[in-house]
Amino acid sequence: MKAHIKALGGASLLVILAATAGQAQTLPPDPPKFEAQQSPSFVGIGDILEYRALPEYSEPAWVAKNYVETGKLPPVAERLPKEPMVYKTANMPDGVGVYGDTMRHVIGGRPQGWNFLAGNNQGWGGIDIGMYECLTRTGPLFTIKAEELQPMPNLAKSWEWSEDGHQLTMHLVEGAKWSDGVPFTSADVMFTWDDNIVDPNVTPAVGTTEATFGEGTKLEALDDYTIRWTFKEPFATQFLYQMAYGNFCPNPAHILKDHHPKYNPEATYETYKNFPPPDYMNYPVLGAWVVTGYRPDDIVILRRNPYYWKVDEAGNQLPYLDEVQYKLSTWADRDVQTVAGTADFSNLEQPENYVESLKRAAAPDAPVRLAFGARTIAYTMYPNLSANGWGDPDERGQAVRELNRNADFRRGVTRAIDRQQLGDALVKGPFTTPYPGGVLAETSFYDKTSTAFFPYDPEAAKADFEKAGLKDTDGNGFLNFPEGVAGGGDVEITMLINGDYQTDKTIGESIVAMMERVGIRVIPNIVDGTTRDSLALSGKFDWQPVRINYPELSTIVQNTVALAPTGPQVAYGHRAGADGSLDLLPFEQEMVDVVNKFMASRDPAEQVDLIKQYQKLYTDNVYAVGLTQYPGALMINKRFANIPPGAPIFLFNWAEDNIIRERVYVPADAQRPEYQLQAETLPGEPG
Ligand code: BQZ
């Protein structure tokens, strides 16, 4: 045997070994060649921005005339921090911009209200990214040299570690103001931490919890502009990534506190979550634009924030764009309208729209620029691995969770999926590639030889299900639970699907059909995105095929905690039940240990090795069922300037963050003033 194995190459060696072990796992197929159409120029963070006072500042002429000269606003220099963030001209693809025009987005979600911190979303599609600024920023990191990679400063302009590495002192931008002129201070940061992230009754819209920043982490304010973190692990640089979009984006304490049950006995956590409602205008933000118009199911309009705390090197207060709109429609319509020129921005992410969008964008007079990036979009089917009450399952649901926890069953599921057919059902051509799950291929931490791939093999799948104790006892073609389990009826799996996307529905249909072939009945539960997110976060699913909206499986360093169930409310497929305990399977515990070691490590070689171990644990054990991986394309109307080349639609964050919209402008001769719906107006009083 030894001589025989020596004669074989690495890959075939794996196949032999696996086959003898009855696993029949192989290495994943190499993705078909697909070149990203543009690549970024890599720079250091200091090449993009700095914080400093400039000799003078300017603003749109109509703001000076209609607001400053009439005494409605103080002069622009008084509306800016002592040292505003300054975007450097050399890093601007088209240089210093000019004021005017609007960016017309289309989104498939709907604003539930403006309290993102307490769990309401605004309909996604970049509306929240533009409103809520966070302590650090990571979207634009796709342009940062690997050797200088670390989160960008944002509201936190600088930070330093204590000698022993357990404390991180952060300095906030001094003198920044909310869009209603009220100063931003550490009181807003502490309200965000104590009364939202730490308060177990409050769950921010992307599911942030205290564990997002590491178990036992503490935060305190030293003065109005200085905060100090205390971490259990020394030099926990990971958590600086968590302080970016979604997880640590302060909201105005001066507006929200009065509605929080801790400060208002009349309030409940439900009323707190729903304040302010969507028709509340001019909600104070630190972002570049403020909500000044809202018509349900029609449009949200935002106007420039007169107190925005960022400028260009010429001293122009940003943003350049006076207005941003979000037409309330569908995600598919976002692609259609952007290609047609009635909208300005889309992340082309639904493969069924690729061919038509490519065809139209190729026309010489096409209004839109379309550029494919790398394959950073993927779908994974997460089985619910909690058998401890998460999601309050009934007897059937509990029996399914026990099956999900059975390695033979999970291996059967992954072998019942024909990933090539699933990808072809979305779009033919070089776009999709079978995705085994775990770290995404073609990303920096990916290691093919650590990745187990179970090829499509329905007969082997049926054998796996038999090993898991399932038989078709009533001969109706569907496998039954064992005697005495859920009445010995057919195994029925509920599968949570995001009905806002045709891609999710198509993938769901493929899974239903493929599982029926091997005798498993899957029942899709197709709901809107917001309902889906809430059911997923509360464990009310057996399986959830979901587009990966979180960057840990491509960047590893962003949202690292979510690589495994490192805390009771962190992972997508395994959270704690009512008693707060996690019933981890042995391999999951190993994954948690490896991820925690990665977060505590400061040795790049060790980190690479730890992720190889993680990838092996994830894919050998089918922690979740990878489905398909493909590239997205950024589509932006051609009239816009300062779009960074090679901006991916998703990597550390979505393109709405990556392209740095506050620096984007429309050259004067290309402007379409008629697109603005509230020309020459500024946000008014909150209410
Ligand atoms: C991008 C993104 C910006 C959320 C949402 C949506 C929600 C999820 C996810 C994407 C939309 C767009 O994604 O599809 O291209 O514009 O908004 O936030 O899928 O249902 O909950 O995680 O980001």
Side-chain angles (χ1 to χ4, degrees):
M1 186 62 169
K2 235 193 178 28
H4 175 65
I5 284 181
K6 227 191 334 257
L8 288 168
S12 26
L13 164 64
L14 246 173
V15 171
I16 296 288
L17 282 180
T20 47
Q23 298 260 337
Q25 66 197 57
T26 65
L27 290 173
D30 287 327
K33 203 98 196 85
F34 188 88
E35 291 299 324
Q37 281 173 298
Q38 295 172 325
S39 52
S41 53
F42 293 101
V43 296
I45 292 173
D47 297 317
I48 299 177
L49 60 89
E50 62 188 346
Y51 294 78
R52 67 185 167 97
L54 296 177
E56 60 177 1
Y57 300 105
S58 50
E59 62 197 324
W62 60 269
V63 173
K65 181 165 169 289
N66 304 342
Y67 288 86
V68 178
E69 288 166 24
T70 57
K72 287 181 195 154
L73 278 178
V76 60
E78 294 170 29
R79 305 200 308 266
L80 286 163
K82 227 164 67 180
E83 296 185 326
M85 182 192 284
V86 182
Y87 282 119
K88 295 186 167 179
T89 310
N91 184 255
M92 292 183 176
D94 301 299
V96 168
V98 292
Y99 290 119
D101 218 310
T102 180
M103 185 173 275
R104 301 164 300 164
H105 288 268
V106 173
I107 59 178
R110 294 296 183 271
Q112 297 174 296
W114 310 115
N115 197 342
F116 184 90
L117 261 186
N120 270 347
N121 74 69
Q122 289 67 51
W124 310 105
I127 191 167
D128 47 335
I129 294 172
M131 291 173 71
Y132 311 125
E133 298 264 354
C134 315
L135 289 178
T136 63
R137 187 174 191 174
T138 55
L141 289 180
F142 73 94
T143 66
I144 299 301
K145 297 177 202 156
E147 62 275 21
E148 294 194 30
L149 188 67
Q150 67 159 318
M152 295 162 68
N154 200 49
L155 287 171
K157 62 184 234 183
S158 63
W159 48 84
E160 64 271 349
W161 291 96
S162 59
E163 277 290 299
D164 68 4
H166 286 281
Q167 294 199 313
L168 177 73
T169 302
M170 276 186 141
H171 306 282
L172 304 176
V173 63
E174 270 188 57
K177 294 182 173 67
W178 293 97
S179 54
D180 61 352
V182 171
F184 161 69
T185 70
S186 59
D188 296 301
V189 173
M190 294 317 295
F191 170 71
T192 299
W193 174 254
D194 289 325
D195 300 327
N196 292 276
I197 295 170
V198 171
D199 185 330
N201 302 296
V202 181
T203 304
V206 288
T208 313
T209 67
E210 201 176 350
T212 307
F213 298 92
E215 295 296 334
T217 295
K218 298 284 173 250
L219 178 62
E220 58 191 314
L222 304 185
D223 61 40
D224 274 355
Y225 298 110
T226 315
I227 57 176
R228 185 166 65 196
W229 294 86
T230 302
F231 297 107
K232 242 165 56 179
E233 292 295 337
F235 300 107
T237 47
Q238 278 334 106
F239 298 121
L240 281 160
Y241 287 94
Q242 305 295 68
M243 297 174 201
Y245 167 74
N247 287 322
F248 209 117
C249 315
N251 267 227
H254 67 285
I255 298 287
L256 292 181
K257 242 179 172 170
D258 294 347
H259 296 267
H260 190 293
K262 183 173 155 186
Y263 305 97
N264 173 352
E266 316 273 300
T268 66
Y269 280 104
E270 195 53 25
T271 60
Y272 172 60
K273 172 181 176 183
N274 293 314
F275 180 82
D279 59 3
Y280 181 103
M281 291 294 102
N282 309 308
Y283 176 56
V285 295
L286 295 166
W289 298 280
V290 181
V291 176
T292 54
Y294 167 64
R295 288 194 293 275
D297 269 340
D298 178 7
I299 192 166
V300 178
I301 303 163
L302 297 95
R303 294 290 299 173
R304 62 179 305 105
N305 169 0
Y307 289 89
Y308 196 48
W309 45 285
K310 302 182 185 179
V311 300
D312 66 20
E313 270 189 307
N316 297 310
Q317 182 187 29
L318 297 175
Y320 294 124
L321 297 173
D322 286 334
E323 183 173 296
V324 174
Q325 300 164 11
Y326 292 85
K327 294 191 251 189
L328 304 177
S329 177
T330 67
W331 297 113
D333 190 37
R334 176 171 77 168
D335 295 341
V336 170
Q337 289 214 43
T338 304
V339 164
T342 54
D344 294 321
F345 177 103
S346 186
N347 295 321
L348 186 63
E349 63 197 353
Q350 299 200 72
E352 57 271 13
N353 299 339
Y354 280 21
V355 174
E356 187 58 26
S357 300
L358 273 165
K359 216 167 18 179
R360 296 213 178 194
D365 61 346
V368 68
R369 183 181 31 228
L370 182 155
F372 271 98
R375 281 194 184 92
T376 58
I377 307 295
Y379 276 79
T380 295
M381 202 279 282
Y382 288 98
N384 189 329
L385 295 176
S386 300
N388 61 353
W390 181 45
D392 299 327
D394 58 15
E395 190 189 353
R396 181 209 58 79
Q398 184 63 23
V400 170
R401 282 155 175 70
E402 297 298 351
L403 273 181
N404 286 342
R405 293 165 64 86
N406 176 308
D408 292 321
F409 179 74
R410 291 197 309 278
R411 190 168 42 248
V413 173
T414 198
R415 294 209 279 200
I417 303 287
D418 180 345
R419 290 172 175 83
Q420 193 53 54
Q421 185 190 44
L422 185 140
D424 291 347
L426 295 176
V427 63
K428 294 211 176 359
F431 302 101
T432 68
T433 189
Y435 168 49
V439 180
L440 289 183
E442 303 173 327
T443 62
S444 50
F445 279 95
Y446 176 72
D447 174 60
K448 175 173 169 179
T449 57
S450 310
T451 307
F453 179 68
F454 293 89
Y456 176 54
D457 185 344
E459 289 317 308
K462 288 177 189 168
D464 290 328
F465 294 142
E466 194 163 356
K467 269 189 238 154
L470 300 179
K471 285 187 180 49
D472 176 10
T473 49
D474 54 12
N476 68 349
F478 287 99
L479 296 171
N480 294 70
F481 285 115
E483 204 51 45
V485 176
D490 287 349
V491 174
E492 283 193 356
I493 311 258
T494 62
M495 183 167 66
L496 187 55
I497 300 283
N498 187 333
D500 291 353
Y501 296 87
Q502 183 52 51
T503 305
D504 291 56
K505 290 186 279 193
T506 304
I507 286 175
E509 285 157 14
S510 296
I511 293 172
V512 169
M514 292 173 188
M515 295 313 294
E516 186 172 336
R517 285 182 213 152
V518 292
I520 298 279
R521 177 180 290 134
V522 176
I523 303 184
N525 177 19
I526 303 175
V527 293
D528 68 83
T530 295
T531 306
R532 189 222 77 84
D533 292 350
S534 139
L535 292 174
L537 281 176
S538 54
K540 295 191 182 314
F541 66 92
D542 298 340
W543 288 358
Q544 58 158 317
V546 62
R547 184 186 71 204
I548 300 171
N549 287 311
Y550 300 98
E552 66 280 0
L553 290 172
S554 44
T555 71
I556 305 295
V557 291
Q558 176 88 56
N559 207 29
T560 310
V561 289
L563 284 170
T566 54
Q569 299 299 332
V570 169
Y572 313 120
H574 199 165
R575 294 195 176 200
D579 68 0
S581 70
L582 268 171
D583 51 345
L584 298 183
L585 295 163
F587 82 87
E588 287 184 282
Q589 186 55 59
E590 289 182 71
M591 286 170 77
V592 167
D593 297 343
V594 162
V595 170
N596 285 332
K597 276 196 202 118
F598 176 89
M599 292 197 284
S601 167
R602 300 181 66 214
D603 169 358
E606 181 189 36
Q607 287 188 325
V608 167
D609 184 58
L610 286 165
I611 297 304
K612 285 180 182 174
Q613 294 175 43
Y614 168 83
Q615 182 74 338
K616 195 160 170 32
L617 284 164
Y618 183 124
T619 55
D620 277 357
N621 294 285
V622 193
Y623 170 64
V625 180
L627 298 170
T628 187
Q629 178 185 344
Y630 56 83
L634 184 56
M635 298 203 293
I636 292 191
N637 189 280
K638 285 175 180 169
R639 74 180 192 283
F640 291 96
N642 271 352
I643 306 298
I649 68 163
F650 185 83
L651 189 61
F652 289 89
N653 197 5
W654 289 102
E656 293 89 335
D657 184 13
N658 306 349
I659 64 169
I660 310 183
R661 275 181 297 180
E662 61 267 30
R663 287 186 336 184
V664 169
Y665 71 95
V666 180
D669 58 1
Q671 290 200 7
R672 306 295 297 265
E674 71 275 18
Y675 288 170
Q676 290 197 46
L677 299 172
Q678 296 181 346
E680 301 208 350
T681 64
L682 286 177
E685 280 306 304

